[in-house]
Amino acid sequence: MRRVLVSLVTLVVTGLVVLLGPASAAQAHAALLTSTPAPGSIVGSSPAEVTVTFSEAITPVAGRITVLAPDGRRISGEATARGAVLRIPVRRADRPLGTYLVSYRVISADSHPVAGGLTFSVGAPSATPPAADGDGDHASVAVAVPAARYAGYAGLALIAGPALLLASMWPRRLSRRPAVVLVRAGLVLVAAGTCASLWAQAPDSSGGPLWDFSASALRAVLTSAYGVTLCARLAALAVVAALLPPVLRGVAGRGRTALVIALGAATLTTWPLVGHAVASPLAPAIVASDVVHLAAMSVWLGGLVTLATVVLPRTPPRVLQVILAAWSRTAAIAVVWLVGGGVVQAVVQVGSVPALVHTGYGRLLLIKVAVLAVTLTAAGYARTLVRRAQVPAAGAARLRRTVGAEVLATAVVLAISAVLVQVNPGRTADTDAAAVSEEGVSQTLTCDLFTLQFNIYPVQLGENNTIHAYVYTPAGAALPAKEWTVTSTLTGRGLEPVRTPMLGLDPEHHAVGAITFPLPGVYQVAFTVRVSEIDQATVRTTVTVDADRRGSQRVP
């Protein structure tokens, strides 16, 4: 019993050492694709509605979606979502000119909270844009969420591995009680981890600390898809706990055993249903591969813990040789399924080879693979000892040390997995990068006659660059324009400027046009606006167009 307790403490502490490193905010999972008005854009009048489009379906968090006017007043109504589109009704601001801030917090399809914000301007941007309350995740929640998930993973291992050994390979003369204690501890860990996840979801959604919750917030979590799934997990776990005793004693019939296995598979399915898998491409296949991955991990790690703490120290050498031969075959099969399920998930979730190196998800996955490779090396050595029948002699001590190393290394892999599910999949990296580049180049240019706001998007080599421009009086009132022209000159090449007319739109202080950047370099861009029969002025700035087709802005 002492060995069992020491093993449990070691397993949990090893994982928590990894989890309780420097806490960071949970990563977003639904990436912002675009919005109307566009991020960083300049529009002619205050919109009646703001729409934000994400990469997957989202659910708005009540009270955490706000539009602030340039004077800092909240002007948004109750936000609604349909699929991946968030709609925020907006009333007209008392002082409409300036920069508006849209702050949002939503729940992505994989149950992870996503917080962010964007700005757009009506007329000239504000000198100081309005500020929103902090939307970062509290450190207590950032630690509690992966810790609760780790407790669930560890519990699965302590249920599946010992139960399999007790049901099929247990020696008759060896006491079952220590292994039964492991199974019971696993049941408690899964239940505790699930309850902790339910508790943490409410403050995780709102961005508050772990102890900041309310009955209404908890009720909202319990009635959400996330809450229903975790409650179903608890219910299935309770039924499994009631059916397990005869299985653990080795006296269960085939019907009861099959029912326990089916309920166990159903319980395992609840993990991918509240993770990346449910929101990924080919969701049914990824959910199935995740279940296989979890089942194989649970059998392998749980069996190793049972061997290290109960079987190896207590079993006679001759009996031990028989048990280890059978376990070695089972472990080999489990490892094959473990790696197979992991490869399927990695291919889909990482998305590309560069994402393995250039995204946090990919780098963390590489670390997990490296630790797993070390673990498999130790497992291969242990299998060699068993196949060479070296266990009864001096090989028994080496085998115990090897299995102990496997347990510790696998506990680290488990902890990395608990963190990995909180990080953006590598497949969303391109989406995130595209969202960042949505604003193009925006700037305010002034002269004695008018103030001009413009936006060029996407600022790339070629002809597909659109300009929107708005002109105002120096005091900020809309100023109708008679004629618009934009001129671009590639500096330092001795080339003549290219002059292009712009089309005036309704309202008359708004014009649209196109600009061509045929070569990379620094372009001088000049806007000439005639506001009356005799009043005309030109304002200038520079725009840098890079060879990799990305644009950047320089101070005029």
Side-chain angles (χ1 to χ4, degrees):
M1 290 300 295
R2 186 181 297 110
R3 289 178 180 271
V4 170
L5 293 176
V6 169
S7 175
L8 286 175
V9 171
T10 302
L11 180 65
V12 173
V13 170
T14 302
L16 291 180
V17 166
V18 177
L19 294 174
L20 299 180
S24 60
Q27 301 291 316
H29 294 265
L32 185 149
L33 295 179
T34 187
S35 68
T36 304
S41 64
I42 303 156
V43 297
S45 59
S46 179
E49 181 183 67
V50 174
T51 62
V52 185
T53 303
F54 296 89
S55 59
E56 61 185 55
I58 51 92
T59 302
V61 177
R64 298 307 300 271
I65 298 173
T66 304
V67 177
L68 297 182
D71 58 3
R73 296 184 180 181
R74 178 171 178 165
I75 58 172
S76 53
E78 184 177 356
T80 58
R82 184 172 183 179
V85 180
L86 176 69
R87 297 185 180 276
I88 313 169
V90 176
R91 67 176 185 275
R92 183 173 176 80
D94 296 333
R95 298 174 58 189
L97 295 183
T99 301
Y100 290 66
L101 173 66
V102 181
S103 176
Y104 60 83
R105 192 173 185 91
V106 297
I107 307 298
S108 58
D110 60 5
S111 79
H112 292 92
V114 177
L118 59 95
T119 61
F120 63 91
S121 298
V122 176
S126 306
T128 304
D133 296 333
D135 280 315
D137 296 311
H138 195 272
S140 61
V141 176
V143 170
V145 171
R149 190 172 287 266
Y150 177 82
Y153 288 157
L156 286 177
L158 294 178
I159 295 171
L164 176 64
L165 288 171
L166 286 168
S168 59
M169 307 176 196
W170 203 257
R172 293 181 180 180
R173 296 184 180 181
L174 184 62
S175 173
R176 294 174 175 264
R177 187 165 178 265
V180 172
V181 170
L182 287 176
V183 175
R184 291 173 179 171
L187 291 169
V188 171
L189 276 176
V190 173
T194 302
C195 291
S197 295
L198 284 170
W199 180 283
Q201 183 70 3
D204 195 19
S205 300
S206 65
L210 192 63
W211 51 87
D212 182 16
F213 73 100
S214 64
S216 59
L218 195 57
R219 190 181 309 113
V221 170
L222 291 174
T223 56
S224 66
Y226 178 88
V228 170
T229 302
L230 263 61
C231 288
R233 179 191 300 172
L234 290 173
L237 189 69
V239 177
V240 169
L243 295 174
L244 262 180
V247 176
L248 301 182
R249 292 195 301 269
V251 296
R254 293 182 179 180
R256 179 183 287 262
T257 302
L259 181 57
V260 168
I261 293 174
L263 285 171
T267 305
L268 286 173
T269 305
T270 62
W271 267 269
L273 290 180
V274 291
H276 291 316
V278 73
S280 64
L282 305 173
I286 300 305
V287 169
S289 68
D290 203 358
V291 170
V292 170
H293 191 68
L294 280 173
M297 176 278 300
S298 302
V299 168
W300 184 34
L301 177 55
L304 289 175
V305 171
T306 310
L307 288 176
T309 59
V310 181
V311 177
L312 286 173
R314 297 165 178 261
T315 307
R318 184 176 298 179
V319 178
L320 185 60
Q321 187 67 50
V322 176
I323 296 173
L324 289 179
W327 164 252
S328 182
R329 290 189 294 270
T330 301
I333 295 172
V335 167
V336 169
W337 284 104
L338 174 74
V339 174
V343 168
V344 171
Q345 293 179 71
V347 168
V348 174
Q349 301 294 11
V350 175
S352 65
V353 174
L356 278 172
V357 178
H358 299 300
T359 65
Y361 186 93
R363 290 189 292 268
L364 198 57
L365 183 62
L366 289 176
I367 295 173
K368 177 181 176 180
V369 170
V371 178
L372 183 61
V374 173
T375 310
L376 292 178
T377 301
Y381 177 68
R383 182 172 172 82
T384 300
L385 291 178
V386 172
R387 296 180 67 179
R388 291 177 180 177
Q390 295 183 7
V391 174
R398 291 198 299 270
L399 184 61
R400 282 195 292 271
R401 290 193 295 269
T402 302
V403 172
E406 283 186 69
V407 171
L408 293 177
T410 312
V412 173
V413 172
L414 214 59
I416 294 173
S417 300
V419 176
L420 196 63
V421 297
Q422 298 298 114
V423 179
N424 261 5
R427 59 183 167 81
T428 65
D430 293 338
T431 301
D432 295 340
V436 171
S437 65
E438 280 291 327
E439 55 187 88
V441 170
S442 299
Q443 196 174 332
T444 302
L445 306 175
T446 60
C447 64
D448 294 337
L449 187 60
F450 57 75
T451 295
L452 182 139
Q453 291 280 350
F454 77 90
N455 173 264
I456 302 177
Y457 178 80
V459 188
Q460 63 182 7
L461 294 176
E463 302 178 352
N464 298 322
N465 301 284
T466 301
I467 304 176
H468 285 271
Y470 300 85
V471 66
Y472 302 89
T473 67
L479 179 62
K482 303 293 185 180
E483 184 179 9
W484 307 71
T485 303
V486 61
T487 303
S488 61
T489 307
L490 180 59
T491 63
R493 296 290 187 91
L495 302 177
E496 297 299 319
V498 177
R499 187 171 183 271
T500 306
M502 297 180 67
L503 176 64
L505 301 176
D506 185 18
E508 295 179 347
H509 69 294
H510 177 203
V512 66
I515 188 169
T516 300
F517 299 119
L519 297 170
V522 178
Y523 286 80
Q524 183 183 77
V525 179
F527 295 88
T528 301
V529 182
R530 182 167 61 85
V531 296
S532 70
E533 296 300 328
I534 59 173
D535 295 316
Q536 176 177 297
T538 300
V539 290
R540 296 177 176 84
T541 187
T542 57
V543 173
T544 300
V545 181
D546 297 331
D548 63 357
R549 301 180 64 84
R550 293 181 181 178
S552 60
Q553 181 179 348
R554 290 188 176 179
V555 177

